[in-house]
Amino acid sequence: MFYLPCCSLLPELFPVIAVSDGSMWKSLASILLLLGAALLLGTIAEQLRQSALLGYIAAGTLVGPNLLGWVSNQKDIFDLAELGVALLLFAIGLEFSLPRLRRLGRVPLLAGTLQVFFTLLAGAMVTAFLGFSIAESLAVGAMIALSSTACVVRMLNDRAELDSPHGRTALGILLVQDIAVIPLMLIVTALLNGGTPGDVILQLGLSLVLAAVFVIVFYGLFNFVLPRVLELSSLRRNRDFPILLAMLMAAGSAWSAHQLGLSPALGAFVAGVLLAISPFATQIRADIQPLKTVLVTLFFAAVGMFADLTWIAGHLGLVLAVVAAIVLGKLIITFGLAYLCGQPWQFALGTGLCLAQVGEFSFVLATVAHGEPGVSILSESTFRAMIAATIATLLLTPYLIQLAPRAAVMIRRLTQPNPLPPADQVNASSVETEPVSKTDSDSIIILGFGPAGQRVAGELLQVGLKQIVVIDLNHENLQIARQYGLQAQVGDATQIEVLEHAGLYRARLVIITLPSPTICRQIIHLVRQMAPGTSLYVRCRYHLHHWQLLAAGADVIVDEEEHVGECLAQQFLDSSLYQLMSRSSRETEENRDGHSP
């Protein structure tokens, strides 16, 4: 363990300040070292136009126990980092309501089930052919059957491909794999302890019952209890309470699933899906975003800590052979099954590339199978080879996912010597992305739907502009927006996640009607950073802040004090009092002119 010498020296010199044994601070020092190294190497990776995930994994390898040795308690850190995977799946679940999840279709469910079975079978057969025992072969096959939910979902989400055809199928298969973690864990544990097949079936049946209980309880909680809690006025007045509630739901769902013997990540995803129909889903996802980012980064750094570069260097040929066999084998199996289940070959190929790696839960299976000396079903060399191969496939994953949307076009060009005619080129490019319609790029976002926002929306609707999205933290205001027929979502507009979900990148105009100049400046900076071409119309409550908002980047500012002055003057000029005073003034002026010499 690496930590500053003063951490142990100060309590000896000043025992009064030694309020604890220091174990917590040592763990914190390890976490800070990992995050600092991840920040440094992740930044370098981005500068080299590589995925930051590569930098995070390299950071764990660098400061981990097998290289510099600054951080050695990898198990405790990995256990903490698993919460990051759960939060990631919870946030993704908030994007996938039950209707949208059903739209994934039968292909992911069928292909995922067959993929787990055939990959496990193929891995076990190959290792058994090489002379491994049946138990060790099954353990290796179980590890290979799983792909990385955290890595694939993170990359697809960052590349906005989670809703693409290959992205949807990959997500569906990953969910099936997360469900398969339960029986695979039972199988490996039974092999380790000598359990019978009947014991495995009994435990699996109990897990299914507990999973049903989990879904029923959380469905009732999120549909009948939570809406009434979130409408409390105290939650709207104090922003601390919604954030605490969001973390309680996200982490609590993962903990509950773990206590029931289920996959924490899968439990968090199910909870997110059940909560996705709530109007508060966007804000909840934004509230957990900071902690999710920290823990997911910590997770990939913790994965890198398992790498032993000395052992890998001495067995490089073996590691490369295992990596090649895993990547090619999983690519072929996943591609073939997705294609046979009805997915077009272009998308099936993309799905195969996305899932051609070994996942994070394989570390858990490997640790269980490795067991203690004398009760292990994995030899030391097999354990190290699988850990090294798993990390290597994770390092390859960003490149494979980048290749996935273009793979079909590249193969088509290689197999067709003549260049594609223009029409085919258009069809080929449409495989990668779906065009954004004109109406999708003409939307208007109104931030704040009090009296000012309602007046703006009313005027826009009268002239036929209906592509309007409203963001507000006040539930009553959002009900009014829905009565107008507008899209409305609960959210704090100072958070990037909320603006992204509202479609800022596609909006032509953002209208800020919020009274606080500080919040307005924060939002202006975010909009200018995320969508510099979007027009910004901003409310300014006091003339004092007019130039501050203009300097922040607002295009048009409606100064309330100036506007009030103009309106008051105009009201007076249109009144009969003005006519009377004007006539009296003219008469006075004429009398003065008549008496002048």
Side-chain angles (χ1 to χ4, degrees), residues 56 62 142 175 179 183 201-202 206 208 210 217 238-239 357 366 378 459 462 495-496 500 511 552 557 576 593:
Y56 301 158
L62 178 66
L175 295 178
I179 296 173
I201 294 174
L202 180 62
L206 179 61
L208 292 175
L210 292 176
V217 169
N238 191 327
R239 278 289 293 127
Q357 80 283 128
L378 279 186
E459 296 292 334
Q462 284 186 4
Q495 295 181 319
I496 292 178
E500 285 180 339
I511 301 175
I557 297 176
S576 59
D593 291 341

Side-chain angles (χ1 to χ4, degrees), residues 113-169:
T113 304
L114 295 175
Q115 185 269 337
V116 171
F117 176 76
F118 282 107
T119 306
L120 188 154
L121 184 63
M125 290 177 62
V126 170
T127 48
F129 178 77
L130 295 175
F132 291 77
S133 66
I134 297 297
E136 192 170 15
S137 299
L138 288 173
V140 171
M143 293 173 59
I144 295 174
L146 302 175
S147 300
S148 175
T149 302
C151 192
V152 174
V153 169
R154 168 74 181 270
M155 286 293 299
L156 289 175
N157 198 43
D158 289 347
R159 292 172 56 83
E161 293 176 3
L162 197 56
D163 209 28
S164 64
H166 67 277
R168 289 195 300 268
T169 305

Side-chain angles (χ1 to χ4, degrees), residues 29-45:
S30 300
I31 292 173
L32 292 176
L33 274 170
L34 275 175
L35 293 177
L39 175 62
L40 175 62
L41 296 183
T43 302
I44 293 175

Side-chain angles (χ1 to χ4, degrees), residues 183-229:
L184 292 178
M185 185 69 73
L186 292 174
I187 291 173
V188 172
T189 305
L191 293 172
L192 187 68
N193 300 327
T196 64
D199 294 334
V200 174
I201 294 174
L202 180 62
Q203 289 294 325
L204 184 58
L206 179 61
S207 297
L208 292 175
V209 172
L210 292 176
V213 171
F214 176 87
V215 172
I216 292 172
V217 169
F218 272 83
Y219 180 84
L221 179 65
F222 289 159
N223 285 274
F224 301 104
V225 178
L226 187 63
R228 291 171 174 79
V229 174

Side-chain angles (χ1 to χ4, degrees), residues 289-304:
Q289 179 70 23
L291 184 60
K292 183 198 78 174
T293 300
V294 171
L295 291 181
V296 168
T297 301
L298 188 63
F299 168 79
F300 288 109
V303 166

Side-chain angles (χ1 to χ4, degrees), residues 427-450:
N427 292 335
S429 63
S430 65
V431 170
E432 300 182 33
T433 58
E434 296 179 3
V436 178
S437 65
K438 185 177 185 297
T439 56
D440 288 340
S441 62
D442 283 345
S443 63
I444 298 172
I445 299 176
I446 299 178
L447 306 181
F449 207 67

Side-chain angles (χ1 to χ4, degrees), residues 537-592:
Y537 284 38
V538 184
R539 168 190 180 182
C540 176
R541 192 168 188 179
Y542 300 108
H543 183 72
L544 174 67
H545 306 293
H546 182 111
W547 297 107
Q548 296 175 1
L549 297 175
L550 195 62
D555 294 307
V556 175
I557 297 176
V558 177
D559 190 323
E560 285 192 24
E561 291 188 324
E562 285 188 356
H563 186 63
V564 167
E566 292 174 358
C567 287
L568 289 174
Q570 189 61 46
Q571 290 292 329
F572 168 67
L573 294 176
D574 293 338
S575 68
S576 59
L577 178 61
Y578 168 71
Q579 301 296 330
L580 179 62
M581 293 181 66
S582 176
R583 186 181 310 113
S584 175
S585 177
R586 286 197 304 269
E587 291 175 354
T588 303
E589 188 69 26
E590 289 173 358
N591 291 334
R592 184 183 300 118

